[in-house]
Amino acid sequence: MATTRREKAAETEAALKAAARRVFAERGYLNTKISDITAAAGRATGSFYNHFSGKEELLEALLRDLLAVADEAVAGVEGHDSDFRRIEAVRWHVEVYWRFYKTHLAEMTAVRQAAMADPDLGRRLQRILADDARHLAGHLAELPGSRSSPELRLSAYYALLDGFAHTWLVVNPADGLTITDEQAVDVLTDLLHHGLAGVPPTG
């Protein structure tokens, strides 16, 4: 059966996205040109603009795709608990994030690089991430005694996870220390559970 124009367009878009992931991993987002992506995809450079206005829009599309796939995968995982007073609930969410970040290291690094180079793009990417994580604000709203809003707690929650993951999975401390996945999840879980479910400050 002959391939339709729509099917060919979908194939080209998928090839461009797959190529972008590979090239971002090899060269980094900032050092990647559109011609690098199209060459890796085996497509003409001009074909890129039939699908994306630029590298920025491609990165936004990649991030949405990754989050959608991750949401589908998590939906089938047992153990989800929204009660962050329980350390097991916090650990489940930390482990999901750590696994997602490690699996999609090139894309998450690209998001960080893009945000540093273009603050407007950084804000758009953060909105995509925030929209995907909005359900967690509900988890945090259930915690008693906090003086801050769920949205502020959610921002602090992700800042800790993102910064720690970037430090250990991308930068790697220069003193030769290493960390296992289990150790990373343990330390993040302990810090977050104590901070979120511990005794709130008075006064």
Side-chain angles (χ1 to χ4, degrees), residues 9-169:
E11 289 175 0
T12 297
E13 182 174 329
L16 290 170
K17 288 178 177 178
R21 293 188 187 101
R22 294 195 303 273
V23 179
F24 289 164
E26 294 168 0
R27 305 186 184 188
Y29 175 82
L30 297 179
N31 293 326
T32 296
K33 301 189 294 291
I34 289 173
S35 58
D36 298 328
I37 296 171
T38 54
R43 300 297 196 275
T45 300
S47 68
F48 181 95
Y49 297 99
N50 294 328
H51 302 274
F52 307 103
S53 62
K55 191 171 62 170
E56 300 80 9
E57 186 177 347
L58 170 57
L59 181 58
E60 291 180 63
L62 280 179
L63 184 57
R64 288 192 180 93
D65 287 352
L66 295 180
L67 292 173
V69 170
D71 288 344
E72 289 180 8
V74 168
V77 176
E78 295 182 0
H80 179 261
D81 184 349
S82 65
D83 187 354
F84 272 22
R85 291 171 297 183
R86 293 166 44 82
I87 195 169
E88 295 86 357
V90 176
R91 183 181 176 85
W92 188 93
H93 287 82
V94 168
E95 189 170 4
V96 165
Y97 182 89
W98 183 265
R99 186 168 59 245
F100 172 81
Y101 199 109
K102 189 172 183 179
T103 300
H104 303 294
L105 193 58
E107 295 90 338
M108 295 304 289
T109 303
V111 166
R112 178 180 284 258
Q113 292 176 342
M116 292 176 62
D118 183 344
D120 286 338
L121 174 58
R123 282 187 284 273
R124 296 199 302 272
L125 295 170
Q126 285 303 314
R127 279 196 294 270
I128 294 171
L129 290 166
D131 287 344
D132 184 75
R134 197 169 300 281
H135 70 283
L136 273 178
H139 296 3
L140 296 171
E142 296 173 4
L143 293 170
S146 175
R147 298 186 298 180
S148 59
S149 70
E151 290 74 21
L152 286 178
R153 277 176 273 167
L154 183 60
S155 175
Y157 172 94
Y158 273 115
L160 175 61
L161 293 180
D162 179 77
F164 192 83
H166 181 75
T167 296
W168 286 98
L169 297 176

Side-chain angles (χ1 to χ4, degrees), residues 166-186:
H166 181 75
T167 296
W168 286 98
L169 297 176
V170 180
V171 177
N172 293 323
D175 55 12
L177 291 175
T178 60
I179 192 169
T180 66
D181 292 343
E182 185 175 4
Q183 288 172 326
V185 172
D186 282 347

